Amino acid sequence: MAQRERIVAELGRPETPEETAARKAESSRVYRSSQTFRNLIAALVITLGIVAIVIFAVPRGEPPAPEPIEVAAVAADVSGTLEGSTALVPVVPESWLVTSAGVAGDDPRTWTVLYVPADDAGFVRVSQGFGADATWPTRELSGADAAGTTTIDGVEWIEYDIPDPARAGNISAALSTTAGADTILVYGATDADTLRVVAAGLADQIVTAQEENS
């Protein structure tokens, strides 16, 4: 039985072959567009699912904590390379964190230990300039002037006036003294009381160095 020709309502007559071809082509285009959109949504859902699995399902370990720095052991190694000097080791509260300890520089060569006191957002740096001259602390402190002296456990220290910590590398307080041929500088983003704790923890070693070189 012959298929009846499609009547175009707007024209009131059967559609021509050209109109039939155009109608089918448009239908195919719309279908393909809808399929493409569905595929895009499906791909997006799958991608989000994979990301969620990676984030929530894949176990992630915490990075290992850094090994604690044994200041005394590092100082002993440093001292073995020196002639006429011993790297001093401050006696500080056990709760203080040591973030670095080592030797750097050439003029002068400097042994430096960096501490972060407990419950303190600041830091304290203890530097020993081997054979350093009298102007070395001022250079390290960006030109800060000596403000006076103070005696801590029998050792006389020079105190420094630092009116603008921002210009001095965030240093807000500093002390210096000599230990034999070396200069000891205790300074940091902290207060004078904290520096006195470090100075007291160095006193016995400084006295010994001064006596050996007197």
Side-chain angles (χ1 to χ4, degrees), residues 81-168:
T81 67
L82 303 173
E83 293 184 7
S85 293
T86 299
L88 304 188
V89 180
V91 178
V92 300
E94 292 183 358
S95 58
W96 286 21
L97 174 67
V98 181
T99 60
S100 66
V103 174
D106 294 314
D107 187 24
R109 194 177 182 204
T110 305
W111 157 247
T112 300
V113 186
L114 184 61
Y115 295 96
V116 176
D119 302 322
D120 190 349
F123 64 88
V124 176
R125 184 177 288 121
V126 181
S127 293
Q128 179 177 358
F130 300 116
D133 60 38
T135 64
W136 174 65
T138 298
R139 296 197 304 272
E140 289 294 293
L141 299 173
S142 301
D145 295 323
T149 61
T150 184
T151 300
I152 303 171
D153 286 7
V155 177
E156 185 176 77
W157 294 81
I158 297 173
E159 297 178 301
Y160 291 87
D161 178 28
I162 306 175
D164 187 359
R167 297 184 60 183

Side-chain angles (χ1 to χ4, degrees), residues 126-212:
V126 181
S127 293
Q128 179 177 358
F130 300 116
D133 60 38
T135 64
W136 174 65
T138 298
R139 296 197 304 272
E140 289 294 293
L141 299 173
S142 301
D145 295 323
T149 61
T150 184
T151 300
I152 303 171
D153 286 7
V155 177
E156 185 176 77
W157 294 81
I158 297 173
E159 297 178 301
Y160 291 87
D161 178 28
I162 306 175
D164 187 359
R167 297 184 60 183
N170 292 325
I171 303 302
S172 55
L175 298 170
S176 76
T177 192
T178 57
D182 305 333
T183 297
I184 311 300
L185 181 60
V186 179
Y187 58 119
T190 188
D191 54 38
D193 289 340
T194 301
L195 292 192
R196 293 182 71 89
V197 170
V198 181
L202 287 165
D204 290 345
Q205 298 170 76
I206 291 173
V207 169
T208 298
Q210 291 172 343
E211 292 174 346
E212 290 176 348

Side-chain angles (χ1 to χ4, degrees), residues 23-44:
R23 174 175 55 78
K24 292 181 178 180
E26 178 64 15
S27 297
S28 297
R29 185 190 67 78
V30 172
Y31 176 78
R32 287 194 302 271
S33 297
S34 64
Q35 289 296 100
T36 300
F37 181 75
R38 292 191 187 97
N39 291 340
L40 178 61
I41 295 299
L44 182 60

Side-chain angles (χ1 to χ4, degrees), residues 14-72:
E15 62 184 5
T16 64
E18 290 78 8
E19 290 171 340
T20 299
R23 174 175 55 78
K24 292 181 178 180
E26 178 64 15
S27 297
S28 297
R29 185 190 67 78
V30 172
Y31 176 78
R32 287 194 302 271
S33 297
S34 64
Q35 289 296 100
T36 300
F37 181 75
R38 292 191 187 97
N39 291 340
L40 178 61
I41 295 299
L44 182 60
V45 170
I46 292 172
T47 301
L48 292 176
I50 293 173
V51 171
I53 290 173
V54 171
I55 294 175
F56 298 108
V58 176
R60 297 183 302 279
E62 294 294 330
E67 290 292 326
I69 299 173
E70 296 293 339
V71 178

